[in-house]
Amino acid sequence: MGGARQPREDGPPPVPPSHQGCAIRSVRVQLPAQRGEPGGEPRGELRDRHEDGHHLHHLVWRLGPGVRVCSSAVLGGGIGPRAWILNAQVPGGYPRLDPDRHLAEIAAAEGLTGPGAGLMTAADVAAYTTGHDGGATATVTTGLGVRGWAAAPDAEVRAPHRPGTVNIVLTLPAALSDAALVNAVATATEAKVQALLDAGLDCSGTPTDAVCVAAPEPGPDGGEPFAGPRSTWGARIARAVHTAVLAGARPARDLS
């Protein structure tokens, strides 16, 4: 359930009184991998939560200071410093009309503070897949029940959609310029489409796919200037995303 709203630099939006009593209990399912050598990227942490009678999962990246994110996230989208990323599973037939506030509730239950980026999906987050290449790590949750082509007839564009969503979170140890961050999102999207086709699926994705790219803030040199698929970091991004999406898409093909 992608689509960026205006990014906030002062943390998640306040939780409205009507939702402050929402019961969210979260426990760690898998320990996060620790930072490796200096410059290594943070890894996601799978969490198990019970919310309003539903048993759900979410992934959390606790980025810490000095990291910025470029994303199409529904909460905290855009480019800017982010302290965390959240990819949260929601029930099918998601009834709420305030996903940004809902993500803020989950973030608050996790004790996350400061500005962050939040994604949602109806896919099984516990079935996430990963790809690694030269320091680039892609973590993907794959829901392809509503897959189709981006350039669709107008009637398809206006038709209501059931929850689906391919969410891609990329973490990098190298700083990227603003242009390279945007280029990284494009490269990740190209690699996603390539993986879907390689999996034998007749689609370019779902209407609500989202991407987050997290990288260190650049220093005086401005960061890596390129992230296209033939640049050093773009090639690594593409291979990592392709590996993760292909692993997640093959079960969807088998169920088709």
Side-chain angles (χ1 to χ4, degrees):
M1 300 178 180
R5 299 194 178 196
Q6 185 67 30
R8 296 177 58 94
E9 301 297 335
D10 56 351
V15 177
S18 60
H19 296 305
Q20 285 176 355
C22 180
I24 299 176
R25 294 188 297 108
S26 173
V27 298
R28 179 183 293 160
V29 176
Q30 292 178 1
L31 290 173
Q34 299 298 311
R35 287 182 180 269
E37 298 300 318
E41 77 281 2
R43 303 295 175 85
E45 174 185 344
L46 181 64
R47 305 282 292 189
D48 180 294
R49 85 180 187 276
H50 291 267
E51 179 182 356
D52 293 340
H54 297 286
H55 181 201
L56 304 164
H57 294 91
H58 54 274
L59 287 161
V60 178
W61 288 257
R62 302 175 195 273
L63 303 176
V67 177
R68 63 180 189 157
V69 171
C70 176
S71 80
S72 58
V74 69
L75 172 66
I79 298 178
R82 301 289 184 265
W84 48 268
I85 298 171
L86 175 68
N87 184 14
Q89 180 183 358
V90 295
Y94 183 67
R96 289 181 59 164
L97 301 177
D98 57 347
D100 53 341
R101 293 186 183 276
H102 188 187
L103 285 162
E105 294 168 18
I106 300 171
E110 283 290 354
L112 302 173
T113 59
L119 312 168
M120 279 187 170
T121 180
D124 180 8
V125 167
Y128 71 91
T129 54
T130 59
H132 311 274
D133 194 289
T137 296
T139 304
V140 175
T141 53
T142 307
L144 290 165
V146 292
R147 59 185 181 267
W149 292 103
D154 191 54
E156 291 185 28
V157 172
R158 296 182 181 182
H161 294 290
R162 303 184 309 279
T165 307
V166 177
N167 283 342
I168 299 170
V169 175
L170 271 162
T171 56
L172 305 172
L176 303 181
S177 68
D178 285 0
L181 278 172
V182 175
N183 207 173
V185 172
T187 296
T189 302
E190 289 183 42
K192 175 197 72 175
V193 176
Q194 181 181 344
L196 294 174
L197 296 179
D198 287 347
L201 295 169
D202 187 23
C203 67
S204 59
T206 85
T208 52
D209 291 354
V211 181
C212 277
V213 180
E217 292 183 349
D221 64 353
E224 294 287 333
F226 305 112
R230 292 299 172 264
S231 68
T232 298
W233 282 103
R236 294 170 180 175
I237 287 167
R239 290 189 292 263
V241 170
H242 183 272
T243 296
V245 174
L246 186 62
R250 280 175 170 157
R253 175 201 61 193
D254 295 341
L255 291 173
S256 298

